[in-house]
Amino acid sequence: MADLPARARVVVVGGGVVGTSVAYHLTRLGWTDVLLLEQGSLSCGTTWHAAGLVGPLRASESGTRLVQYSAELYASLEAETCLATGYRNVGGVIVARTPERMVQLRRTAANAAAYDLPCELVSPARAQELWPPMQVDDLLGAIWLPGDGKVNPTDLTQSLARGARQRGARIAERVRVTGFTVADGAAGRRVTGVVSDHGTVEAEVVVNCAGQWAKALGDLVGVTVPLHSAEHFYVVTEAVPGAHPDLPIMRDPDGWTYFKEETGGLVVGGFEPEAKPWRAPDDLPHPFEFQLLEEDWEHFSVLMDQALLRIPVLEETGIRKFYNGPESFTPDNQFLLGEAPGLRGFFVGAGFNSVGIASAGGAGRALAEWIVSGEPQDDLVGVDVRRFAPFQADNGWLRSRVAEVLGLHYAVPWPNRELETGRPQRRSPLHERTAAAGALFGTRMGWERPNVFGPPGARLDYSWEKPAWLPWSGAEQRATRTDAAVFDQTSFSKYVVAGPDALAGLQWVCAADVDVPVGCCVYTPFLNERGTYEADLTVTRTGPEEFLLVSSSATTVRDLDWLARHGVAAQDVTEAYAVLGVMGPRSRSLLASRSPDDWSEEGFPFATSREVTVAGVPLRATRMTYVGELGWELLVAASDAVAVYEAVRAGGATDAGYYAIESLRLEKGYRAFGRELTPDLGPIEAGLVFATGLAGDGDFLGRSALEAHRAALAAGGPRRRVVSFVVESPEPMLWGGELLLRDGHPTGQVTSAAWGETVGSCVGLALLRSDGAVTAESLAGAAFEVDVAGERYPVRVALRAPLA
C-alpha cells in the first residue's frame, strides 16, 4: 500500500508526460514539496502510445515558443537526469499535393521567418532527397523544417520524473484519485486536498493532469474541463528501404498522414477527416493501463490508402503492430491550461489534442510559472481553460464535436473557418429575423452571430483569395460609412457591478479612471501585475454605485474570474439583454424618428449613455462605436429586441455582420483583445496609453509595471509597436498572420487584416519590431512590404490608421 504524506504543498494528479513536466518545473522553481499521484504506472495512459513528434513551428508565436522550449528541454534533459529521452533533431518535411496546400506552406514559411525559425521551401525532387522512401510525382512542393524532432514518450516521462525526484518531489504510483476536499472562504471556494483510494492528502494546490480522465475529475468539483476521447490510429511497419534513425519526419496533410522511422520501419499514422469518438469521459474503464483498443482496419483504411499512394513500397511491407489508442480532444483543438474559475488552487493541464508530447515541456513550465507567480507569465489566452463555459462541457455535445476536431489537424486551415458540429448552442432573440434576412452565421462562445448577409441559398465559402461573400460585406461596409446599418451584437459579454464597494473595486482593476459622472462611458483595459493586457472593454456608470461592463463575446468566463480574483463582485447579465449596434451617418436621424428622446450632438455626446425609448420600448443607448462612425449600441431586454430591430430596419438600416465590423474597425485602427492586445503586450506598445490613468495620480493594477516600462523606453521609444497599414495594391487578400518586411528584412507580423471597402484594398494592424524607436518619421523613411504566400506587396505603414 502506498505510504502517502498527510499533506503536500502541491498534488499533481496524473503521471503522464504533462503531469511529470509540471512536477519537474515546479521543483525547478523552488517548490519542492510536490506529490505526484498516478492511478497506474508512469506514462501508462495516452503518453506511452503517442507517436512522439516534436514540431516547434505553430500557428502563433506563443505556441511556437512553447514547443521550442520543449525541444530544447528534451535535448538537454539526459545530461541532468542521466536518463535518455530518445530525442533526435531529425528535421521535418511537409508536402503539398494541391495549390491550396502550397499556399498554406508558403504562409507557413513566412511565419517561420517572422519567428526567426529556419524553414525552406523546396521542390518535390528536393523533398525526395530529404525523404527517399516516398514518390513525389503528384506533389507541387514542400517545406523543410530543420528544427523538427522526435522523442521516446515513455523515456521522456521517466526522465522528467527523475528530475522532479532529484529536487524533492515524491511520486506515488497505483494511487487512484477519487475526489477532492473543498472549503468556502472570504475569497470564494478553494481546493484543500485530494481524496484517493489510499487516503486523503491536504494540499494548497491541486493540478489536474489526468488526461482523458481529467473531465470526470473536474466534474466532481464543478470545474469545466471540456474534452472527449477519440480513437487514434497508427501502425508500425516492417523494415522499409531508406528508413534510418535520422530519417526526417514526413507529413502529407493532403493525405491526412504522417510518417517517422522506428527500428528500421515506419510509423504510419494520421488524422482522418471524420474521427471515431470513444467512450464518454465519465464512462472510462478502470484499470486502463498500457492498453489499446480493438484494431479497426476499415476505419484506418482511409489513412492506409493514402500512405500506399505516397510510399508504394508499403504494398510489399508487413505490419508489426497496429496501435489504436484513445486520446482526448477539446472543442477548439487547443489544449486546456490554467487555474479553474470558481475554485482557487485547482489547476488544469489536459486535453492536448495529440500534441501532448511536443507541448508538454513548454506547457509544464508555463503552468508551473502560473502556480508559483499567481498569474501566467506569457500569452496563454489561446489555451486558457477559462475560454470555455460550463454549457460547453456536455458529453453529448463534446462527442459530436470531437469527430470534427481531430480531422482539423491536417485540414487546410482556411481563414475564418467555422466549426460545423455541435451547433447551435446559443441564439440571439433576433436569430430568426436575421436568418430570414440572409445571415450566414459564425459562432463565438456558443452564440450564433451573423458574419455576413447573402442572397437566398448562399453559404460561407473559404478561400485564400477573395471569397464569394466579399462583395456582400463590402456593401455592408458602404452602408455603415455612408448611411445606416444595424448589427446584432447580442453576444457581447455584459456584467453589472453594484454596491458600496463597486467604485473602489473597479478603480483598482480598470487601468482608466472610471470615477465619472453617471451616464458616462469609459474605454479601459484590465492589466495584470506585469502591465500587460487581460481584457479590453467599456465601463458605463449607470448609477452612483452601479456600473455596466461590456466586453468581448469570447471572454465572459475569463473576465468574471478576473474580477472575482480581485474582489469585485459582478453579475453576468449577458443573456438577459440583446444589443443592437445602429451605426452610420444617418443613425441619428433614424433613431430620432423612432424615439421621443434627444439624439442631438449636444443632447447625446460621444461616450455617454442614456435610458431612452425606441419604438415604444425602454432601453439603454450608449454612444460608442467599434466601426468608427456616428452610432449607438442599444441594450434592450431580450424579450423586446425584435420590436426594436424591426423598427430600425423599417427606418432603412442595412443588416450587417461581423465581417464588416472587422473591416471597419481596421480602417480606423481599433485594436482587438487576443490579437493586438495580449498578455505579452502593454498599452505603450499598443499605442493606447490614453486609455489608461497613467497621466493621473490614481493607483491601479499594473500601474507600477507600466510606469517602469515607460521609464525604460523614455530614451528611445518603444521597440515593439502596433502599427496600421494599407496594402498599395487592391489585388491581394490578407487574413492576418502574414510576414511584414522592412527594407527587405523580416520585421514583424500582421495581427489582423481584412478588405477595407472605403480604402479600396486590404488594411490591417501589425506588431512591428524595431532596433530603434518606432516613430512616424522612422516609418515614413522605410520601405515596407507584406508577404502574401510568397508574393511581396508594398504597404504604407503608419502610427495613424488610414481613416483615423
Side-chain angles (χ1 to χ4, degrees):
M1 181 172 179
D3 184 17
L4 300 184
R7 74 170 309 280
R9 188 175 192 182
V10 182
V11 175
V12 179
V13 182
V17 68
V18 176
T20 54
S21 179
V22 172
Y24 170 84
H25 285 95
L26 282 169
T27 61
R28 278 187 54 167
L29 292 172
W31 282 33
T32 57
D33 185 12
V34 176
L35 172 66
L36 185 149
L37 303 178
E38 164 54 46
Q39 66 178 345
S41 304
L42 292 181
S43 81
C44 73
T46 298
T47 296
W48 77 274
H49 58 73
L53 312 185
V54 183
L57 184 57
R58 301 285 151 168
S60 68
E61 182 169 9
S62 58
T64 297
R65 301 303 177 213
L66 187 145
V67 181
Q68 264 189 303
Y69 170 77
S70 291
E72 294 165 1
L73 173 67
Y74 303 165
S76 63
L77 197 58
E78 182 179 358
E80 174 188 339
T81 66
C82 298
L83 280 181
T85 64
Y87 181 76
R88 298 178 81 101
N89 178 202
V90 296
V93 178
I94 306 178
V95 303
R97 305 184 188 185
T98 65
E100 294 80 9
R101 186 70 65 180
M102 274 307 303
V103 170
Q104 180 199 345
L105 294 191
R106 293 188 188 102
R107 292 176 65 91
T108 298
N111 284 350
Y115 306 149
D116 197 27
L117 284 182
C119 178
E120 181 185 356
L121 282 160
V122 299
S123 68
R126 175 58 179 152
Q128 190 175 46
E129 290 177 6
L130 292 164
W131 216 86
M134 70 170 162
Q135 70 84 16
V136 299
D137 294 346
D138 61 334
L139 298 183
L140 301 182
I143 57 173
W144 165 239
L145 296 162
D148 279 15
K150 60 182 182 179
V151 70
N152 184 303
T154 299
D155 290 349
L156 171 62
T157 303
Q158 294 292 343
S159 189
L160 287 166
R162 176 175 286 186
R165 285 191 186 103
Q166 287 174 340
R167 292 188 180 88
R170 289 165 289 182
I171 296 176
E173 297 176 283
R174 306 203 178 283
V175 176
R176 188 184 188 196
V177 171
T178 57
F180 306 94
T181 57
V182 175
D184 292 317
R189 295 172 72 232
R190 183 172 193 93
V191 68
T192 58
V194 171
V195 180
S196 79
D197 56 3
H198 285 67
T200 299
V201 180
E202 182 184 340
E204 298 174 21
V205 173
V206 172
V207 192
N208 180 358
C209 297
Q212 57 191 336
W213 289 268
K215 181 181 186 299
L217 289 179
D219 288 344
L220 295 175
V221 283
V223 170
T224 301
V225 187
L227 55 79
H228 195 290
S229 295
E231 300 184 27
H232 187 45
F233 307 87
Y234 68 85
V235 298
V236 180
T237 75
E238 299 287 357
V240 169
H244 55 83
D246 289 319
L247 184 72
I249 298 159
M250 193 270 282
R251 301 174 179 88
D252 181 9
D254 291 313
W256 312 301
T257 47
Y258 63 79
F259 308 86
K260 75 160 189 172
E261 184 275 342
E262 185 162 308
T263 60
L266 293 176
V267 168
V268 180
F271 299 94
E272 65 275 21
E274 185 173 345
K276 187 180 178 184
W278 194 43
R279 295 165 70 165
D282 57 1
D283 186 36
L284 300 181
H286 176 77
F288 191 78
E289 182 177 356
F290 295 113
Q291 290 189 41
L292 295 172
L293 307 180
E294 291 184 1
E295 297 180 1
D296 188 341
W297 284 99
E298 181 178 356
H299 190 85
F300 186 70
S301 65
V302 66
L303 301 178
M304 198 65 202
D305 289 347
Q306 296 297 318
L308 294 173
L309 186 154
R310 182 63 45 227
I311 309 168
V313 73
L314 292 180
E315 290 271 15
E316 307 161 6
T317 306
I319 302 297
R320 289 178 183 160
K321 179 73 173 177
F322 187 111
Y323 287 83
N324 178 7
E327 296 193 26
S328 58
F329 292 80
T330 66
D332 63 356
N333 213 24
Q334 299 293 324
F335 55 86
L336 305 167
L337 213 65
E339 189 171 12
L343 185 60
R344 300 298 300 273
F346 191 97
F347 288 79
V348 176
F352 277 83
N353 303 281
S354 207
V355 296
I357 304 303
S359 305
R365 180 177 71 167
L367 195 51
E369 289 175 344
W370 192 333
I371 292 166
V372 171
S373 302
E375 63 182 34
Q377 300 301 293
D378 297 294
D379 178 9
L380 300 174
V381 171
V383 297
D384 194 323
V385 69
R386 295 173 295 178
R387 70 189 186 275
F388 292 112
F391 67 84
Q392 292 168 310
D394 175 77
N395 285 339
W397 180 78
L398 289 168
R399 183 178 182 85
S400 169
R401 177 57 61 89
V402 76
E404 179 182 11
V405 164
L406 181 144
L408 295 181
H409 277 271
Y410 282 173
V412 175
W414 296 118
N416 292 3
R417 179 170 188 152
E418 298 285 352
L419 294 175
E420 298 176 359
T421 52
R423 295 173 59 184
Q425 283 186 297
R426 306 167 88 186
R427 286 176 167 172
S428 158
L430 304 176
H431 182 86
E432 290 185 6
R433 296 300 197 279
T434 54
L440 304 179
F441 294 95
T443 181
R444 186 66 60 90
M445 186 53 87
W447 287 101
E448 295 290 320
R449 314 191 309 176
N451 281 335
V452 66
F453 288 79
R459 293 175 58 88
L460 285 179
D461 67 317
Y462 302 118
S463 171
W464 296 116
E465 309 298 330
K466 293 174 181 174
W469 51 258
L470 193 59
W472 313 331
S473 176
E476 296 169 16
Q477 295 177 49
R478 289 193 301 274
T480 310
R481 291 276 187 246
T482 64
D483 189 65
V486 57
F487 300 85
D488 181 4
Q489 297 173 294
T490 298
S491 64
F492 276 167
S493 299
K494 315 166 197 78
Y495 327 120
V496 171
V497 177
D501 299 325
L503 176 60
L506 289 175
Q507 283 288 77
W508 173 245
V509 297
C510 296
D513 183 4
V514 298
D515 189 5
V516 294
V518 173
C520 289
C521 183
V522 178
Y523 171 54
T524 180
F526 291 167
L527 303 179
N528 53 41
E529 293 283 1
R530 295 178 290 118
T532 58
Y533 281 90
E534 292 293 337
D536 177 63
L537 66 160
T538 61
V539 177
T540 300
R541 192 166 197 172
T542 56
E545 295 183 344
E546 184 172 303
F547 297 81
L548 171 69
L549 284 60
V550 178
S551 187
S552 161
S553 306
T555 58
T556 311
V557 175
R558 179 189 177 89
D559 293 339
L560 292 170
D561 181 64
W562 186 259
L563 289 165
R565 287 173 186 276
H566 295 92
V568 180
Q571 178 188 4
D572 181 13
V573 296
T574 299
E575 301 213 18
Y577 296 96
V579 176
L580 281 74
V582 182
M583 304 289 161
R586 198 170 62 83
S587 60
R588 173 177 285 130
S589 60
L590 190 160
L591 289 168
S593 72
R594 275 20 185 199
S595 169
D597 297 283
D598 183 359
W599 299 81
S600 68
E601 183 66 34
E602 298 76 18
F604 213 140
F606 181 73
T608 58
S609 184
R610 302 276 189 273
E611 292 183 350
V612 298
T613 300
V614 175
V617 174
L619 54 83
R620 173 170 293 279
T622 302
R623 191 173 158 195
M624 187 61 63
T625 176
Y626 198 43
V627 299
E629 295 295 333
L630 175 70
W632 283 262
E633 293 173 357
L634 308 181
L635 184 80
V636 55
S639 58
D640 294 326
V642 170
V644 176
Y645 168 76
E646 290 183 342
V648 171
R649 285 287 287 114
T654 297
D655 280 307
Y658 275 83
Y659 288 165
I661 292 176
E662 181 74 354
S663 296
L664 295 162
R665 69 110 178 163
L666 291 173
E667 287 184 328
K668 291 289 185 174
Y670 297 160
R671 281 67 165 148
F673 181 73
R675 284 181 280 176
E676 290 76 44
L677 310 178
T678 75
D680 280 346
L681 207 70
I684 295 174
E685 296 100 331
L688 296 178
V689 175
F690 72 86
T692 73
L694 202 56
D697 298 328
D699 198 10
F700 55 84
L701 180 60
R703 177 172 186 134
S704 297
L706 195 56
E707 288 178 331
H709 190 196
R710 182 175 63 175
L713 296 175
R719 298 303 193 267
R720 294 191 306 169
R721 189 66 155 79
V722 176
V723 295
S724 282
F725 70 87
V726 177
V727 183
E728 294 189 359
S729 168
E731 295 304 316
M733 186 69 193
L734 276 66
W735 298 99
E738 293 84 3
L739 172 68
L740 187 67
L741 301 108
R742 179 176 187 163
D743 299 326
H745 301 288
T747 191
Q749 193 171 27
V750 175
T751 52
S752 299
W755 174 261
E757 185 72 10
T758 308
V759 172
S761 64
C762 281
V763 297
L765 293 165
L767 182 59
L768 177 70
R769 298 172 179 83
S770 175
D771 292 334
V774 179
T775 63
E777 293 75 19
S778 70
L779 295 178
F784 287 94
E785 296 173 297
V786 65
D787 183 308
V788 183
E791 297 290 330
R792 294 184 179 183
Y793 295 88
V795 294
R796 300 190 304 275
V797 175
L799 295 180
R800 289 177 60 83
L803 298 186

